[in-house]
Amino acid sequence: MLTVKDKTFVPFINQTTIESRIAELANQINQDYSGKEPFLVIVLNGAFMFGAELMKNLTIACRVTFIRVGSYQKTESTGVVREILGLTESLTGEDVILLEDIVDTGLTIQQVRQQIETHNPASLAIATLLFKPTALKTEVDLSYVGFEIEDQFVLGFGLDYDGFGRNTKEILVLEENHKEAV
Ligand code: IMP
């Protein structure tokens, strides 16, 4: 059990389960990208632990970079966008794998995807540690999904509540949300 600010979180996905599932995803990527050199793009802050664990299990040649998603900005042409920040490398012609901690409504990763596409990568895949299919509000094409979970608030292994709680080896769930462990 873990208390963060005013909320109580209980165990949900343990360390062994997380690590072995990420190793499976990495093995899949090793096969799918055999002969290629993918460029991993880790979406900060939440995906840093997922990205590190996944990379430890990749045996193919690969590179990594990190981006952030800015706050909402209005534009005349497209309405509202969230710009990606911190991208200094060229992704043109690269096999990009975007790494996200969790896809909830899908709006964040959708925006990131659209902006990465403007850099003309050779290919673009999305890997997410967690996915809440029932919360989805837009169509997203997820190539690698660690765990599909119910629409409940989770914490740990990089994910936060109000900035805190990222520093755990397991994933916890808000006690009042808790339905069933994966
Ligand atoms: P989306 O745009 O609704 O898909 O939200 C994605 C972002 O919201 C993630 O990158 C997280 O930062 C945050 N988020 C969504 N659900 C959770 C959760 O259950 N715990 C912690 N952060 C979450």
Side-chain angles (χ1 to χ4, degrees), residues 6 17 25 29 37 58-60 66 69-70 72 81-82 86 95 105 110 120 133 138 142 146 150 155 157 166 179-180:
D6 54 331
T17 307
L25 294 183
I29 291 171
E37 296 180 347
L58 290 180
T59 51
I60 49 174
F66 302 86
V69 184
Y72 286 95
V81 293
R82 295 181 72 188
D95 291 304
T105 63
Q110 176 81 336
N120 298 316
T138 180
L142 304 174
E150 304 239 12
L155 173 97
F157 199 76
R166 298 189 195 273
K179 288 174 189 155
E180 63 185 78

Side-chain angles (χ1 to χ4, degrees), residues 109-128:
I109 201 67
Q110 176 81 336
Q111 295 251 334
V112 174
R113 183 190 186 107
Q114 282 168 4
Q115 294 190 42
I116 296 283
E117 269 166 358
T118 67
H119 293 258
N120 298 316
S123 66
L124 180 51
I126 298 171
T128 185

Side-chain angles (χ1 to χ4, degrees), residues 100-108 132 152-154 159-160:
E100 178 62 301
D101 55 352
I102 185 164
V103 174
D104 184 10
T105 63
L107 297 172
T108 305
K132 300 181 189 173
Q152 40 192 345
F153 192 82
V154 291
L159 290 106
D160 73 309

Side-chain angles (χ1 to χ4, degrees), residues 5-91:
K5 298 203 160 183
D6 54 331
K7 305 280 186 211
T8 301
F9 294 84
V10 293
F12 188 49
I13 311 176
N14 69 37
Q15 183 183 354
T16 314
T17 307
I18 296 168
E19 289 178 0
S20 56
R21 180 66 186 131
I22 295 176
E24 282 176 9
L25 294 183
N27 287 339
Q28 190 63 54
I29 291 171
N30 285 330
Q31 287 172 30
D32 294 349
Y33 287 80
S34 166
K36 296 182 178 172
E37 296 180 347
F39 210 140
L40 309 188
V41 177
I42 298 181
V43 184
L44 294 174
N45 291 336
F48 75 102
M49 278 200 200
F50 172 45
E53 190 62 34
L54 188 86
M55 264 198 109
K56 285 194 281 179
N57 289 281
L58 290 180
T59 51
I60 49 174
C62 58
R63 285 175 291 168
V64 65
T65 190
F66 302 86
I67 59 167
R68 283 173 184 279
V69 184
S71 49
Y72 286 95
Q73 296 196 331
K74 280 191 186 147
T75 66
E76 278 179 24
S77 54
T78 53
V80 177
V81 293
R82 295 181 72 188
E83 283 202 271
I84 56 175
L85 309 171
L87 185 62
T88 50
E89 292 87 347
S90 168
L91 297 179

